[in-house]
Amino acid sequence: MSLIARTALIAALGVFATASPAVPVFPDSDYSEAVASVGQVLGYPLGSRISEPAAIKQYFEQLAASQPTRIKLVPYGQSWQGRPLFYVVIGSEQHISQLADIQQKMQQLANPQHLSERDAAQLISQLPASVWIANTLHGNEISPAESAMALAYHLLADQSDHTARLLANTLVYIDPLQNPDGHDRFVSRYYATVGLAHSADRLSAEHNEPWPNGRTNHYLFDMNRDWISLTQPETRGRVKVLQQVYPLLFVDSHEMGGDMGYYFSPEAEPYNPHIQPNQRQSLQWLGKNNARWFDKFGYDYFTREIFDAFYPGYGASWPLYQGSIAMTYEMASARGHRYRKADGDILTFADGVQRNFVAFMATIETASQRASELLNNFYQYRRDAIKQGSSGPVRSYIFPAERDHAGHIKLTAILTEHGITVGKATASFKACGRSYQAGSYVINTAQPTYHLIRTLLDDTVPMDKEFIARQEQRRANNLPDQIYDVTAWSLPLMYNLPADSCDRAVSVATTVVSSDRILAGTLINPAPDYGYIVPWGDMAAARFASAALQQGLTVKSSDLPFTHQNGQQYPAGSLIITHADNSPQLAQQMPQLAAASGATVTGIDSSWVTEGPNFGSVNVKTLHKPNIAMLWDEPANPLSAGSARFIVERNLNYPVTAIRPAQLVGADLSHYQVLVVPASSGSYQQALGNAGLATLRRFVERGGVLIALGNATDVLLAGDKPLLSSKREYKVREGEPKKAEQDIRVAGSIIKNPEDYQQWLVPEKADPDWVPGFIARAKVDQQHWLTAGVPDTVNSLYVGNQVYQPLTIAAGRNVVSFAAAEQLLAGGFVWQENREQIAHKPLVMVQQVGKGQVISFTQEPNFRAYVDGMHLLYINAIFRGAAHASPLR
């Protein structure tokens, strides 16, 4: 949209752009008219309107075009909806002209194994400091993106000595909008609610976004949790470009609740122990200088509360494990133009824009003043990491890679994207007293990314014991714990892939693993007489099944393992595709299906098996191409709905139809074979009512597969005729439960000790304590069709406080159950009482209802789409569940 058209539109709508204080404001600024302001380019003053992604891009493009010697715009990717992702870099004319050389030298400094101390010192003396300021990762956190424009304008237009000094030795990288899809969703919906005047009332529609709100990206992912698993294209693009630039400081600018003030570093406890002392010292420097500037402006702030530095998957965490200094800044959000705080003060959108801007300027000043120290610390971090990896207790990790070929390829590719060198052994070898086959994966830890390697691959990163003791005391006083996120994220555990650690480096010839997550599959005996077999057990086989069904092939799947006369043993779930069932073009379709899916496809000349079911057995089912529906919109949890859909659509390239609860009530679902119910943030019973619950029952009874994720299991227990014969448990009480008394006087009692007193405080019917998140070990029933291709044990993220009773053998099957208490904890931390209560309880339940199947995952198999070891169970529930239902076809 042109400036004239945009200005005319804003003038016509009037209220959409409001008067605001001049932004930015900074002491001694002297702005040149040669640099266009936001108002001149977009038609409204900065801070008076929330800018759409296209407008933000337009402003930065104008700056880059008009000031090419001092700012460069660099694309680095695209969002799911095709919006461009880009950053700009601002610096002196000299530094911008030498940008490619500067980035090359930073890459040299980041690899100290190839540098002498003399060469490193020379690089440090030549290089400028660098700051990367990332904005609006959550699309409804609106002020940071505008502050990015304020900062760029100020750095380019201000002619003061202060700004000149900063840019003389500092490069400033600005990623103005990390989540354009979510931000566009917020902006369009926000202005759709605005009336004659902007309302500051927190009850107003302006301040209460419709589902799924603007926080998440297109697939409803919270991308501030995605930095270890790299599931989203936005995250992958950033991780790639940050390893080209290696900024010394990284700011992730966010917003928080409107009644709060402003937060910056240092972080709250606990700290991840792989964050080094000089990094924590640098966070102190930054916090003190930020505070100095906030004091000058009279802005309140807080530090060391709420936002910790333990989980490595935040945007403000990941750069720390590359040697940079990373931090979160959080501004109280107006979540619109005006917001009335609890104390009656009015917080404005422009307030947030200005305060972020001041924090950014303070950070750049610290970088400029501490340039030499920050460069030296970065180099020392990566040099010392190599030394620690070569002399520490863990000097290598080895993946035996004896199963789940596709899972190993994906995980090692992701580690490669993180900047970790992974080798694939070309010969068998021994390490730490164990023998390994060729094809095993090896990671020697003497790398600059040593701390990232340990953080991602260790079963548990330990929390500070004193911090845990304080949390136990808070629980005893019925206060919430201060653990901000999950306590475990070990990638080998979440992928359910065995990984051994060794106290010696591995010496074996290897090939370096690439960042390709899917490698071409293999087709053996491409022109067979009878057909083809695809062994089940990884996502490559699942991708093959998805593509084959969508191409109209008839595909069968065995419920039991079998041995073919070719001598090959095939696991339960293995796919059988025959010439007799398919068109004459089958042989021409196989090469592309094998290559694209990554599966191993073997042609067979006979159907004869020497052990297990023949292909005409009742234990061999035909996979039908299911139409999959998913409940979408309130009360579904957006994160659960998004990841559940993402796994099917983007991992399998299989379509899902999203249906809102209002349309499901009384709907004819006969067109669908599978209905997925994501975890909820509210009550499905209330949203669906009796009519909706009746619709679910009819769907299952006629042969549908109903899959409930996480706490959506509750809807299966609802109503007069529950679909699942389980119950949700209260917290376990020790001793005799208290009886509810109606009289104002009660019988006397004796409390003998502090333990009895604590039990007295617990209500008779209380929920189990909330579990922030640990990796739980579970046992798999190998005799059920749902667990085909799944190993004897799996690992699941356990988050929340839902515990369900096992099904009786007469009602159904508990096909996956949590391990015994002493074996339950695979990684992270869990309260002991929860550990004991969760033990042996069901993780996955199956119950036949009429002609259909009801399947409950009591914990989400798709949590953040990074518990890959659970994904095959989810895929089995969809495709094999539909094969085991018995509707009229």
Side-chain angles (χ1 to χ4, degrees):
M1 183 182 294
S2 69
L3 172 59
I4 295 173
R6 189 186 301 276
T7 305
L9 174 62
I10 292 167
L13 297 177
V15 70
F16 288 4
T18 56
S20 64
V23 178
V25 175
F26 206 76
D28 302 321
S29 297
D30 178 17
Y31 293 128
S32 167
E33 293 184 0
V35 178
S37 68
V38 167
Q40 291 171 313
V41 177
L42 302 182
Y44 52 86
L46 193 62
S48 68
R49 176 183 169 84
I50 307 166
S51 300
E52 300 92 337
I56 295 168
K57 179 171 176 283
Q58 180 184 349
Y59 183 65
F60 279 100
E61 286 177 334
Q62 199 284 335
L63 291 179
S66 65
Q67 305 292 322
T69 62
R70 295 191 294 149
I71 177 172
K72 183 177 181 181
L73 188 150
V74 183
Y76 69 82
Q78 275 193 341
S79 71
W80 282 115
Q81 295 177 10
R83 292 186 175 88
L85 303 168
F86 67 92
Y87 69 87
V88 298
V89 55
I90 299 174
S92 67
E93 291 189 4
Q94 178 185 358
H95 286 152
I96 295 300
S97 69
Q98 299 171 349
L99 193 59
D101 182 60
I102 289 170
Q103 292 183 0
Q104 183 182 36
K105 287 179 177 178
M106 276 303 300
Q107 292 168 26
Q108 292 174 354
L109 196 66
N111 288 279
Q113 66 271 37
H114 305 306
L115 281 180
S116 67
E117 289 291 328
R118 180 179 177 180
D119 289 341
Q122 185 175 6
L123 285 174
I124 289 169
S125 68
Q126 295 171 349
L127 283 165
S130 53
V131 181
W132 185 289
I133 299 174
N135 301 277
T136 306
L137 184 62
H138 297 142
N140 59 358
E141 296 175 1
I142 51 179
S143 64
E146 310 288 329
S147 303
M149 293 192 286
L151 178 64
Y153 171 73
H154 177 86
L155 293 176
L156 293 171
D158 182 33
Q159 301 172 96
S160 70
D161 291 341
H162 180 263
T163 296
R165 283 195 301 272
L166 297 183
L167 295 180
N169 73 338
T170 307
L171 283 171
V172 180
Y173 295 84
I174 304 173
D175 185 343
L177 184 56
Q178 300 180 86
N179 181 5
D181 293 351
H183 190 63
D184 186 77
R185 183 164 66 240
F186 172 84
V187 175
S188 62
R189 289 176 169 190
Y190 173 78
Y191 283 115
T193 68
V194 173
L196 182 63
H198 288 279
S199 175
D201 191 339
R202 65 183 67 203
L203 297 177
S204 72
E206 292 177 50
H207 296 292
N208 292 278
E209 299 174 68
W211 194 96
N213 76 44
R215 179 180 178 90
T216 53
N217 74 342
H218 172 74
Y219 268 103
L220 309 188
F221 275 67
D222 183 341
M223 292 191 289
N224 202 32
R225 304 296 185 274
D226 192 46
W227 288 71
I228 58 174
S229 50
L230 311 184
T231 68
Q232 301 304 293
E234 298 95 331
T235 316
R236 294 179 71 179
R238 280 187 278 278
V239 162
K240 183 177 180 179
V241 76
L242 286 171
Q243 291 176 82
Q244 296 167 359
V245 171
Y246 288 109
L248 299 177
L249 301 183
F250 181 96
V251 175
D252 201 10
S253 184
H254 287 264
E255 288 187 336
M256 55 186 169
D259 290 316
M260 305 179 79
Y262 200 101
Y263 165 85
F264 47 73
S265 295
E267 282 68 25
E269 292 184 339
Y271 273 79
N272 190 302
H274 289 289
I275 298 173
Q276 299 303 289
N278 64 4
Q279 292 178 305
R280 295 187 64 170
Q281 180 188 44
S282 297
L283 292 170
Q284 292 283 339
W285 296 343
L286 288 152
K288 287 181 179 179
N289 199 44
N290 288 358
R292 183 174 70 87
W293 279 102
F294 269 51
D295 288 348
K296 286 185 177 183
F297 278 87
Y299 300 155
D300 290 335
Y301 65 89
F302 67 95
T303 65
R304 299 187 302 276
E305 295 180 68
I306 304 176
F307 305 103
D308 67 27
F310 188 69
Y311 175 65
Y314 307 129
S317 294
W318 183 88
L320 285 161
Y321 306 98
Q322 297 285 349
S324 301
I325 309 302
M327 60 222 110
T328 294
Y329 290 174
E330 299 269 354
M331 169 64 202
S333 181
R335 204 71 89 224
H337 283 227
R338 302 170 71 246
Y339 180 81
R340 186 180 301 278
K341 300 170 65 174
D343 61 9
D345 287 347
I346 300 297
L347 176 69
T348 70
F349 171 49
D351 291 337
V353 177
Q354 169 65 15
R355 292 179 196 189
N356 290 328
F357 164 72
V358 172
F360 298 166
M361 288 297 295
T363 303
I364 295 167
E365 183 180 72
T366 302
S368 176
Q369 293 173 347
R370 302 273 189 174
S372 178
E373 292 162 287
L374 290 170
L375 282 161
N376 187 65
N377 286 350
F378 173 81
Y379 166 71
Q380 294 290 344
Y381 175 99
R382 295 180 71 89
R383 188 196 65 175
D384 292 349
I386 296 171
K387 292 180 180 179
Q388 290 171 285
S390 61
S391 61
V394 178
R395 302 184 193 178
S396 61
Y397 294 88
I398 306 158
F399 291 83
E402 294 171 348
R403 60 168 180 80
D404 194 354
H405 179 61
H408 282 90
I409 291 171
K410 180 180 176 182
L411 175 55
T412 55
I414 288 172
L415 294 174
T416 299
E417 287 184 74
H418 279 295
I420 296 168
T421 300
V422 183
K424 188 175 183 180
T426 57
S428 60
F429 63 96
K430 290 186 177 181
C432 285
R434 285 164 287 193
S435 297
Y436 296 93
Q437 64 184 6
S440 298
Y441 293 90
V442 175
I443 303 170
N444 285 321
T445 60
Q447 301 186 39
T449 51
Y450 166 78
H451 295 290
L452 182 62
I453 294 170
R454 293 291 308 273
T455 296
L456 296 182
L457 299 187
D458 284 356
D459 290 351
T460 296
V461 174
M463 273 189 175
D464 180 73
K465 292 181 179 179
E466 291 183 4
F467 173 80
I468 291 176
R470 291 197 298 271
Q471 305 318 300
E472 292 282 11
Q473 185 59 53
R474 290 180 65 86
R475 284 203 312 139
N477 292 325
N478 198 32
L479 295 172
D481 67 68
Q482 297 169 316
I483 302 173
Y484 194 75
D485 208 275
V486 296
T487 67
W489 49 81
S490 166
L491 290 177
L493 288 180
M494 293 198 298
Y495 275 66
N496 209 32
L497 300 177
D500 299 326
S501 61
C502 182
D503 61 3
R504 292 188 294 278
V506 173
S507 179
V508 64
T510 62
T511 56
V512 177
V513 170
S514 76
S515 59
D516 295 328
R517 297 187 182 186
I518 299 174
L519 300 181
T522 303
L523 177 58
I524 302 168
N525 187 20
D529 293 336
Y530 181 78
Y532 303 87
I533 300 176
V534 179
W536 196 247
D538 64 12
M539 290 300 287
R543 288 190 292 267
F544 179 97
S546 169
L549 291 173
Q550 291 183 81
Q551 290 185 25
L553 299 188
T554 296
V555 181
K556 295 177 180 178
S557 177
S558 177
D559 286 346
L560 301 174
F562 62 89
T563 303
H564 189 260
Q565 72 169 12
N566 64 10
Q568 181 74 37
Q569 294 180 334
Y570 291 95
S574 292
L575 308 177
I576 302 139
I577 309 98
T578 70
H579 286 298
D581 290 333
N582 289 285
S583 75
Q585 286 75 44
L586 180 64
Q588 285 73 50
Q589 293 174 275
M590 282 297 117
Q592 188 276 333
L593 284 169
S597 66
T600 298
V601 182
T602 301
I604 54 173
D605 296 317
S606 167
S607 66
W608 189 249
V609 299
T610 59
E611 189 174 348
N614 294 103
F615 299 159
S617 166
V618 295
N619 290 305
V620 175
K621 304 293 185 184
T622 298
L623 295 183
H624 301 277
K625 178 186 172 184
N627 288 327
I628 305 170
M630 180 178 295
L631 277 186
W632 196 257
D633 210 332
E634 292 188 2
N637 181 307
L639 303 178
S640 175
S643 61
R645 188 176 188 179
F646 172 84
I647 294 300
V648 179
E649 290 196 339
R650 295 300 172 175
N651 284 9
L652 296 187
N653 198 33
Y654 199 95
V656 173
T657 299
I659 299 178
R660 303 185 196 279
Q663 277 67 55
L664 181 128
V665 175
D668 177 6
L669 296 177
S670 59
H671 181 61
Y672 296 96
Q673 290 74 50
V674 177
L675 175 61
V676 179
V677 185
S680 73
S681 300
S683 169
Y684 279 121
Q685 296 93 305
Q686 183 177 355
L688 297 174
N690 291 333
L693 295 177
T695 298
L696 295 182
R697 174 166 285 279
R698 286 194 302 272
F699 169 74
V700 178
E701 287 179 341
R702 68 149 182 87
V705 179
L706 182 61
I707 303 171
L709 306 180
N711 66 4
T713 298
D714 289 353
V715 77
L716 306 180
L717 314 180
D720 297 332
K721 297 173 66 178
L723 289 166
L724 190 69
S725 300
S726 178
K727 299 287 184 184
R728 186 169 160 184
E729 294 187 352
Y730 290 112
K731 183 176 183 177
V732 173
R733 281 185 52 85
E734 297 179 8
E736 291 295 322
K738 301 194 299 289
K739 301 297 182 183
E741 299 284 356
Q742 302 299 320
D743 296 334
I744 61 172
R745 297 285 297 272
V746 298
S749 64
I750 297 174
I751 299 176
K752 298 179 180 179
N753 52 50
E755 289 74 20
D756 285 351
Y757 174 71
Q758 290 298 330
Q759 285 300 312
W760 184 261
L761 300 180
V762 178
E764 183 179 354
K765 293 183 176 180
D767 287 331
D769 287 351
W770 184 268
V771 175
F774 74 103
I775 298 177
R777 188 174 289 111
K779 304 296 184 181
V780 177
D781 177 354
Q782 292 287 313
Q783 305 304 312
H784 197 273
W785 54 261
L786 180 55
T787 63
V790 178
D792 292 341
T793 62
V794 294
N795 300 312
S796 169
L797 246 296
Y798 191 106
V799 179
N801 60 0
Q802 292 83 34
V803 180
Y804 296 91
Q805 290 183 342
L807 295 175
T808 65
I809 195 66
R813 294 281 288 277
N814 308 293
V815 295
V816 185
S817 299
F818 289 110
E822 61 273 15
Q823 300 170 330
L824 178 69
L825 182 63
F829 174 80
V830 60
W831 317 117
Q832 182 61 27
E833 300 93 328
N834 294 79
R835 182 173 182 166
E836 293 171 357
Q837 186 171 356
I838 293 167
H840 301 296
K841 300 296 168 53
L843 173 58
V844 184
M845 296 180 276
V846 184
Q847 183 169 328
Q848 185 172 342
V849 176
K851 297 179 179 180
Q853 304 285 343
V854 174
I855 302 173
S856 161
F857 289 83
T858 62
Q859 287 290 314
E860 293 194 56
N862 312 307
F863 184 81
R864 296 178 182 168
Y866 63 21
V867 192
D868 281 54
M870 290 290 294
H871 290 173
L872 192 61
L873 279 164
Y874 178 54
I875 300 307
N876 281 351
I878 292 172
F879 290 93
R880 307 202 83 247
H884 278 266
S886 53
L888 292 174
R889 301 193 190 272

